[in-house]
Amino acid sequence: MSLKQGGYIPRDRGWQPDAFTPPYKTSVKRSPQAALLSMPTTLGEETGPVFGHDIIGAMDNDLIHNFAADGQSAIGPRIIVHGVVKDESGRPVPGALIEVWQANAGGRYRHKKEGYLGALDPNFGGCGRAITDETGHYEFRSIQPGPYPWPNGLNDWRPAHIHFSIFGLGFAQRLITQMYFEGDPHIPLCPIVGVLKSQEAFDALTAPLDMNRTVPMDARAFKFDITLRGRRQTYFENRPEGL
Amino acid sequence: MPQVLHNLRETPSQTAGPYVHIGCTPNFTGIDIYGGDLGKCMKTGPVKGQEITIKGTVFDGTGTPLRDAMIEIWQADAEGLFNSPEETRGDADPNFTGWGRSPGDMETGEFIFETVKPGAVPFPDGRLQAPHITFWVVARGINIGLHTRLYFEDEADANAADPILTRIEHQNRIPTLLAKSEGSGTYRFDIHLQGAGETIFFDI
Ligand SMILES: [Fe+3]
């Protein structure tokens, strides 16, 4: 008998948002209507691209400076966002690539199709990336993004948020989500947050203020832990595949 | 009260939103950073096997192309091996990453991947799967990334024996997973999120 990594544990579709969520209007015509076809994970989902620490530049996880002119920095409340990436069994995931993007302190994105009248910050690009260390930790520095209006209802505003894209070890773990900030009164009003099915799910995306990691006279800290799907661990009899 | 299972719950998904390209393909949006966008080039040198081009568009339920999607693909090399530390069967072609990412054309939404035709990969029970490429689609309005697979229309024998394709109840939907050859190594694979020709998506 030996211990084997089995397939990925199926996604909990009762916990994850549905595709069709009418209060978030864009989902109405972009949601598949047939049932998803269930299948076990195969090699194509259990493997995935893995990115080396060598791709990460010294400034990649510093959004305050990575787009700023020499000697300049982005405007806004300085923050540190940090956390641990684990799988569903609680094991840390080292080597996970995290890409983030966000609006500036005035709620404005640096994008051609962005129409909000909030001002651009010439020293803020709005993207960063990091790879988790051996213990699954990541950290980046940024400015706290502002809330912004969006065309859904006539007066819908997004809570302040940071978008996260995460790669684990297997393509089955691929995930995109958003981090919100503790205490933001927009969280319960937002139709995008509202696609989540429970207060527990809202809470899972809300980063608490972490005074222990705050740097005095410099930056406040928020802690955002991430859980990726896990694999079954099973003892199995040694026998050739397929028998 | 029984003992508590200390399993964690997967972090809930949220839409990638309209500005996913700022974070994932910043150079495409005009933010000059990182020395280039990840996943733009799948070949880092001479590759083994047949080089192919895959083109396609993602359509919503009204037939309108999505111009704010991000499409990622993941596949084996020409010999059926994945360029991944989780690959234990052998060493994949070192000049082929197997992973591509496309923001689509800013005006038309059409995505393009310059890749190689994948070899066959075994299913967990040992049977061979037909050559296929995993697709993952995110965009504004998509609450959780959609997984689908591209199979090749010109691999009819392999497709007819594929463990996944053969278990699909609605066989009339299988053409939604088939890339059509347009000649000279180019294949078209359009994705329909909704409607009569809705692509089959997988709960993997
Ligand atoms: Fe946003």
Side-chain angles (χ1 to χ4, degrees):
Chain A
M1 302 274 279
S2 49
L3 189 62
K4 179 186 173 179
Q5 292 259 67
Y8 277 87
I9 298 161
R11 239 178 191 136
D12 184 350
R13 297 279 172 178
W15 161 255
Q16 290 289 356
D18 294 328
F20 180 69
T21 50
Y24 176 24
K25 293 179 181 177
T26 312
S27 76
V28 172
K29 288 294 178 190
R30 293 187 171 194
S31 43
Q33 298 188 325
L36 301 178
L37 189 84
S38 294
M39 59 176 254
T41 57
T42 70
L43 281 162
E45 293 78 38
E46 291 158 12
T47 58
V50 169
F51 305 90
H53 290 267
D54 56 316
I55 69 161
I56 302 289
M59 304 288 275
D60 285 6
N61 70 342
D62 182 358
L63 284 74
I64 298 175
H65 296 107
N66 69 10
F67 190 77
D70 282 349
Q72 304 284 305
S73 57
I75 291 171
R78 294 160 64 91
I79 58 170
I80 291 165
V81 177
H82 74 104
V84 186
V85 180
K86 294 178 180 173
D87 69 17
E88 289 169 292
S89 306
R91 283 184 294 257
V93 181
L97 174 67
I98 298 176
E99 297 163 294
V100 296
W101 64 102
Q102 61 167 90
N104 69 23
R108 171 73 189 261
Y109 282 96
R110 181 172 290 282
H111 196 280
K112 288 187 187 81
K113 293 178 182 170
E114 156 75 289
Y116 181 39
L117 49 76
L120 279 173
D121 175 348
N123 290 308
F124 187 69
C127 59
R129 61 186 186 179
I131 290 182
T132 57
D133 66 17
E134 322 74 62
T135 60
H137 284 80
Y138 74 91
E139 173 172 318
F140 60 91
R141 285 184 161 242
S142 192
I143 51 89
Q144 190 164 12
Y148 59 83
W150 61 298
N152 185 66
L154 269 179
N155 189 23
D156 280 332
W157 291 72
R158 296 300 327 279
H161 62 276
I162 299 176
H163 297 264
F164 277 67
S165 164
I166 309 116
F167 286 87
L169 299 172
F171 207 62
Q173 294 176 305
R174 196 76 183 83
L175 184 72
I176 280 184
T177 189
Q178 303 182 27
M179 178 201 112
Y180 304 102
F181 292 85
E182 177 184 7
D184 188 333
H186 290 287
I187 293 173
L189 304 178
C190 174
I192 287 179
V193 177
V195 307
L196 302 173
K197 294 171 181 168
S198 62
Q199 182 64 44
E200 198 186 346
F202 293 8
D203 293 346
L205 295 185
T206 306
L209 176 68
D210 179 4
M211 286 301 288
N212 287 358
R213 197 63 175 264
T214 290
V215 180
M217 306 304 286
D218 179 345
R220 292 177 305 147
F222 290 87
K223 187 161 196 283
F224 186 55
D225 291 336
I226 295 164
T227 304
L228 301 178
R229 291 172 64 186
R231 296 178 74 161
R232 287 191 300 275
Q233 299 260 29
T234 48
Y235 280 97
F236 78 116
E237 292 176 53
N238 293 306
R239 57 184 184 183
E241 285 277 352
L243 295 181
Chain B
M1 282 271 284
Q3 295 184 10
V4 177
L5 283 171
H6 289 285
N7 294 332
L8 302 176
R9 283 187 128 153
E10 186 186 20
T11 295
S13 173
Q14 292 268 267
T15 179
Y19 306 123
V20 59
H21 301 150
I22 294 175
C24 295
T25 56
N27 294 275
F28 171 77
T29 68
I31 298 171
D32 186 15
I33 196 169
Y34 306 153
D37 290 335
L38 285 180
K40 191 173 180 182
C41 180
M42 299 177 69
K43 303 170 199 166
T44 56
V47 291
K48 298 174 191 163
Q50 183 194 353
E51 299 189 45
I52 61 171
T53 301
I54 295 165
K55 295 182 178 180
T57 306
V58 184
F59 295 96
D60 72 11
T62 73
T64 305
L66 270 62
R67 298 182 303 152
D68 51 14
M70 178 176 82
I71 297 95
E72 289 183 358
I73 66 172
W74 173 242
Q75 65 167 96
D77 70 8
E79 291 173 356
L81 294 168
F82 291 95
N83 192 338
S84 168
E86 299 293 296
E87 172 62 86
T88 56
R89 299 168 299 148
D91 291 327
D93 183 345
N95 290 336
F96 181 64
T97 69
W99 177 71
R101 173 186 267 176
S102 172
D105 182 89
M106 205 164 294
E107 299 308 318
T108 66
E110 185 176 71
F111 58 79
I112 298 180
F113 294 101
E114 299 290 348
T115 184
V116 302
K117 196 163 186 186
V121 175
F123 199 60
D125 64 9
R127 286 181 290 164
L128 275 187
Q129 301 179 81
H132 64 273
I133 297 175
T134 292
F135 273 66
W136 190 69
V137 181
V138 294
R140 177 172 66 97
I142 295 177
N143 291 324
I144 183 164
L146 296 169
H147 283 268
T148 187
R149 281 184 168 195
L150 174 158
Y151 288 83
F152 295 88
E153 192 180 48
D154 53 17
E155 294 281 349
D157 292 346
N159 292 343
D162 181 81
I164 302 234
L165 293 179
T166 50
R167 72 195 274 170
I168 294 174
E169 180 188 358
H170 300 117
Q171 289 284 311
N172 59 335
R173 298 185 65 207
I174 286 181
T176 69
L177 301 179
L178 300 180
K180 288 162 189 55
S181 174
E182 295 187 333
S184 27
T186 297
Y187 291 87
R188 175 154 299 274
F189 184 63
D190 290 334
I191 295 172
H192 296 268
L193 298 178
Q194 199 184 82
E198 180 177 309
T199 298
I200 294 176
F201 296 101
F202 294 92
D203 186 9
I204 293 175

